[in-house]
Amino acid sequence: MSEGPATDTLSRWQAAWPAALEAWSRFTRLRDPRLCESRVDAAAEGLLGSFAMIRLFDQRVVIDLPEVERLGLTDHAVEILAHEIGHHVLAPATATDHAHLLARLRHALPTLEAQAPMVANLYTDLLINDRLQRQCGLRMADIYRRLAERDTSTETTPVWTLYMGIYEQLWQLAPGSLGGPVDDAALRGDAWLGARVVRVYAGEWMDGASRFAALLLPHLLRSVKDWRVDVLMDTRNAGQGSQPVGLERIEDGELDQAVHPALDPRITGEAETLPPTPPELPAALNRQGGQAREPFEYGEILRSAGLDLSDHDIAVRYYRERALPHLICFPVRPQPQAFEPQLEGLEPWEAGDPLDALDWMQSLLQSPRVIPGLTTVQRAYGDAPGQDPASEPVDLDLYVDSSGSMPNPQTHTSYLALAGAIIALSALRVGARVQVTLWSGKQQVLHTGGFVRSEDDILRVLTGFFGGGTAFPIHRLRDTYAQRAPHERAVHILHISDDGITTMFANDERGNSGWDVAARALAAGRAGGTMALNLYTPLPAHLAPTSRPWEADLLRAQEAGWAIHAVRDMADLLSFAREFSRRHYERPAAGVRA
């Protein structure tokens, strides 16, 4: 076999693209397909195992022409291209819907969650191919006949036989003409149910997905690997590079019991109602839509969608999404006077400067012949005192406990990380800078490179994990404020921890008292300090002889100027993160906008 397809094959596939687009609408617009002339080119595009694929992040169709030729499908250019376009137009259409579809299928496939991408691919293929065969007159059935003829020695699997049977039912073909069941009455009955799912739920295909999965589940348990199924997997890595949104929360109806099509009156046409939900359900099934997923569940869905991400990368996405609905404005402090731009003159405009900065009128007055870098000029501005007071955001210095008593943010919800993300991202919204320090035992410290404006840098620190001992990094607090100049921005210091925060008051490696270091930090920061602490008992109003040592330390810290907010449940940190900003920073001075 030659290394690549003939030139006329490439030309015919390029010419087939407009017709494939018109199969959906004359107004359909997508980027031209990537027609790979070698296996190497296809692999570079991420296409492996199949002869075609879609990429949702850049709305691209990729075709492996040598593989198409090997399978004998070269003369089906319009059909194959129109099918791939259908994945962009009909199902799954977007990376977000693709991920939500996989989430539903994973729930409907207990013990076989790993098969969700394959089931999603088969299901969406049915929706697309049924439309193209019946409404557009394309030869979709011929593609499956070619695959069946390609290798007659391949042992037929229950899933493939059922799948072909569904097509035979949809298109009213003779039993067995595509490889569907002939003598197996039970399998033919399931094929009829599968065809009904496709037709009845064509306009509500997300709801029909769990029913299709319930139909396939017993056959998946008896199936082995089938190359014909593998070559159809064009959405296997569809989500790679994409950013699905809204996936951190469970959708309404996602955790409903997967109803077998035989029990669905919309499928069977019977008047009976759906069977009642059993009185005793696992705790996971009792959760209502809208509840947050755990980070590990979130990660499993993303990986099913084809995203190749580490646990840490997934955690960064998860906490960003969970924090977004709670973001509010962070503090601004009134300054004596705002400054307004004032024109001071002209200066040369050179190639590489912003084009919108070029002053064409003044440049033409310099010379009627415009020569970039020689006769071109731009306006120069300086600052002049304005009439209104200025506002300045308060920077945030955040210290988060990551000792053994805290959850790992990459596997289970960490309300410490979530509260930190809400407050830190709120600070960034109004122009503040944030420094984050994650700490556990001695020499277990992770921090940003000073006060930064990068969301990713901040979230990567917040979603790290040590799980070691408890020893506050007093040297970080000391060094941050040792040389801080009075003209620098004010900083609010925030600690999120439990009673282990009292290790902050121990002596540092130089013998300095932690109490003195903390006092100097508060004074240099000039915007106060807060401790949000998970305490199982309330802080006593007055010291008693039986008070525990940490209680005495926290009362002394309170007297030294630290605002202490105690929570009995980690989940309460979520409301703390919102109320903290509202109570302290959403009360701008008169005439000052927050």
Side-chain angles (χ1 to χ4, degrees):
M1 176 179 161
S2 60
E3 291 187 4
T7 303
D8 62 333
T9 300
L10 178 62
S11 300
R12 281 191 285 118
W13 277 69
Q14 290 171 335
W17 181 246
L21 289 169
E22 286 199 22
W24 293 96
S25 167
R26 62 186 300 180
F27 302 108
T28 305
R29 292 291 181 269
L30 284 175
R31 299 178 65 185
D32 287 345
R34 178 73 175 91
L35 302 174
C36 302
E37 299 182 72
S38 72
R39 299 285 178 81
V40 175
D41 290 344
E45 294 288 336
L47 175 53
L48 297 169
S50 179
F51 59 85
M53 68 173 286
I54 63 166
R55 287 199 306 245
L56 293 171
F57 85 94
D58 62 354
Q59 297 288 293
R60 201 72 181 260
V61 170
V62 182
I63 306 292
D64 183 345
L65 291 179
E67 181 67 3
V68 168
E69 186 175 322
R70 186 185 73 83
L71 295 172
L73 301 174
T74 305
D75 56 345
H76 287 77
V78 173
E79 284 79 7
I80 292 173
L81 290 172
H83 174 87
E84 300 308 320
I85 293 168
H87 280 302
H88 287 297
V89 174
L90 178 61
T94 68
T96 295
D97 280 349
H98 183 45
H100 283 296
L101 171 62
L102 290 167
R104 289 180 178 242
L105 290 175
R106 286 177 60 84
H107 173 67
L109 295 168
T111 74
L112 292 178
E113 292 87 354
Q115 301 286 4
M118 183 265 284
V119 175
N121 212 140
L122 295 179
Y123 177 60
T124 54
D125 280 3
L126 282 165
L127 296 166
I128 293 165
N129 291 338
D130 189 42
R131 183 189 185 282
L132 294 177
Q133 173 91 10
R134 293 190 308 113
Q135 298 182 26
C136 304
L138 298 185
R139 303 166 297 158
M140 308 310 296
D142 289 349
I143 294 176
Y144 295 102
R145 288 195 184 97
R146 292 283 179 90
L147 292 177
E149 296 166 357
R150 180 68 191 172
D151 188 355
T152 56
S153 65
T154 300
E155 182 181 354
T156 300
T157 62
V159 168
W160 181 259
T161 303
L162 172 60
Y163 191 54
M164 291 300 101
I166 293 173
Y167 279 122
E168 291 170 358
Q169 292 283 346
L170 285 171
W171 301 332
Q172 299 182 359
L173 302 175
S177 59
L178 297 181
V182 178
D183 300 323
D184 190 328
L187 209 53
R188 290 188 63 183
D190 282 352
W192 181 84
L193 289 172
R196 289 286 296 160
V197 170
V198 173
R199 292 285 172 80
V200 171
Y201 287 95
E204 308 161 79
W205 57 266
M206 192 72 79
D207 292 333
S210 61
R211 288 160 172 78
F212 182 75
L215 178 69
L216 240 62
L217 180 59
H219 304 289
L220 288 171
L221 292 169
R222 299 188 292 117
S223 278
V224 295
K225 191 174 179 64
D226 190 325
W227 72 268
R228 292 167 299 190
V229 174
D230 289 343
V231 299
L232 298 178
M233 296 298 102
D234 52 353
T235 63
R236 180 186 286 113
N237 298 311
Q240 183 65 43
S242 64
Q243 291 272 2
V245 297
L247 196 62
E248 84 288 356
R249 293 202 163 269
I250 298 168
E251 281 192 311
D252 289 332
E254 181 183 317
L255 296 182
D256 291 347
Q257 280 192 303
V259 178
H260 193 282
L263 301 176
D264 185 347
R266 291 183 61 182
I267 298 295
T268 61
E270 299 174 2
E272 63 186 64
T273 58
L274 290 174
T277 301
E280 300 266 345
L281 285 176
L285 296 183
N286 287 324
R287 292 181 291 178
Q288 298 298 312
Q291 181 162 337
R293 296 182 208 280
E294 289 297 318
F296 75 90
E297 297 173 317
Y298 178 85
E300 287 174 348
I301 295 169
L302 289 184
R303 290 191 176 110
S304 295
L307 280 78
D308 184 15
L309 298 171
S310 68
D311 289 345
H312 207 157
D313 293 332
I314 288 169
V316 168
R317 291 192 179 203
Y318 175 82
Y319 287 96
R320 178 187 282 117
E321 282 208 60
R322 285 206 60 180
L324 284 176
H326 305 287
L327 298 190
I328 56 177
C329 289
F330 203 70
V332 292
R333 304 187 75 189
Q335 300 297 303
Q337 195 172 44
F339 287 89
E340 297 176 351
Q342 178 173 329
L343 180 62
E344 292 185 341
L346 301 172
E347 60 184 23
W349 183 94
E350 299 179 352
D353 290 338
L355 185 60
D356 57 359
L358 176 60
D359 189 327
W360 285 101
M361 179 64 71
Q362 292 298 327
S363 297
L364 290 171
L365 290 175
Q366 297 275 352
S367 170
R369 181 172 296 177
V370 177
I371 304 174
L374 294 178
T375 65
T376 50
V377 295
Q378 58 183 323
R379 298 183 180 187
Y381 292 90
D383 290 330
Q387 300 295 320
D388 299 323
S391 61
E392 180 181 69
V394 171
D395 289 341
L396 174 68
D397 192 9
L398 176 60
Y399 297 81
V400 179
D401 190 343
S402 184
S403 60
S405 59
M406 305 303 172
N408 183 347
Q410 298 175 27
T411 57
H412 294 85
T413 300
S414 167
Y415 287 99
L416 293 89
L418 182 55
I422 292 170
I423 298 170
L425 297 185
S426 294
L428 295 183
R429 274 193 169 183
V430 295
R433 296 168 302 172
V434 178
Q435 174 174 269
V436 181
T437 301
L438 190 73
W439 60 274
S440 181
K442 289 185 177 180
Q443 299 181 347
Q444 290 183 312
V445 181
L446 180 66
H447 56 83
T448 57
F451 289 87
V452 299
R453 297 268 311 143
S454 168
E455 280 190 13
D456 283 346
D457 289 351
I458 291 166
L459 291 172
R460 287 196 73 80
V461 173
L462 283 172
T463 54
F465 183 67
F466 291 115
T470 305
F472 183 85
I474 190 65
H475 65 283
R476 287 283 304 161
L477 192 66
R478 179 196 66 210
D479 296 344
T480 297
Y481 299 96
Q483 303 295 329
R484 193 164 186 85
H487 66 272
E488 293 186 76
R489 277 186 185 174
V491 179
H492 189 97
I493 305 170
L494 174 60
H495 299 286
I496 305 179
S497 179
D498 55 16
D499 56 64
I501 191 63
T502 57
T503 58
M504 181 173 73
F505 304 120
N507 291 350
D508 65 13
E509 76 281 9
R510 300 175 184 174
N512 299 315
S513 166
W515 291 103
D516 294 339
V517 171
R520 284 195 293 269
L522 277 182
R526 309 193 315 278
T530 300
M531 296 180 182
L533 308 176
N534 180 219
L535 304 176
Y536 296 101
T537 57
L539 201 61
H542 302 286
L543 284 177
T546 58
S547 294
R548 286 165 285 193
W550 63 264
E551 293 177 337
D553 285 341
L554 292 181
L555 286 170
R556 180 178 172 185
Q558 208 168 36
E559 294 171 357
W562 292 95
I564 297 179
H565 184 98
V567 299
R568 293 196 180 187
D569 187 282
M570 287 291 190
D572 293 338
L573 287 172
L574 187 60
S575 58
F576 160 78
R578 297 191 299 260
E579 294 302 320
F580 171 80
S581 296
R582 287 197 190 98
R583 185 170 62 252
H584 291 281
Y585 306 118
E586 285 196 344
R587 294 180 297 173
V592 180
R593 294 181 179 178

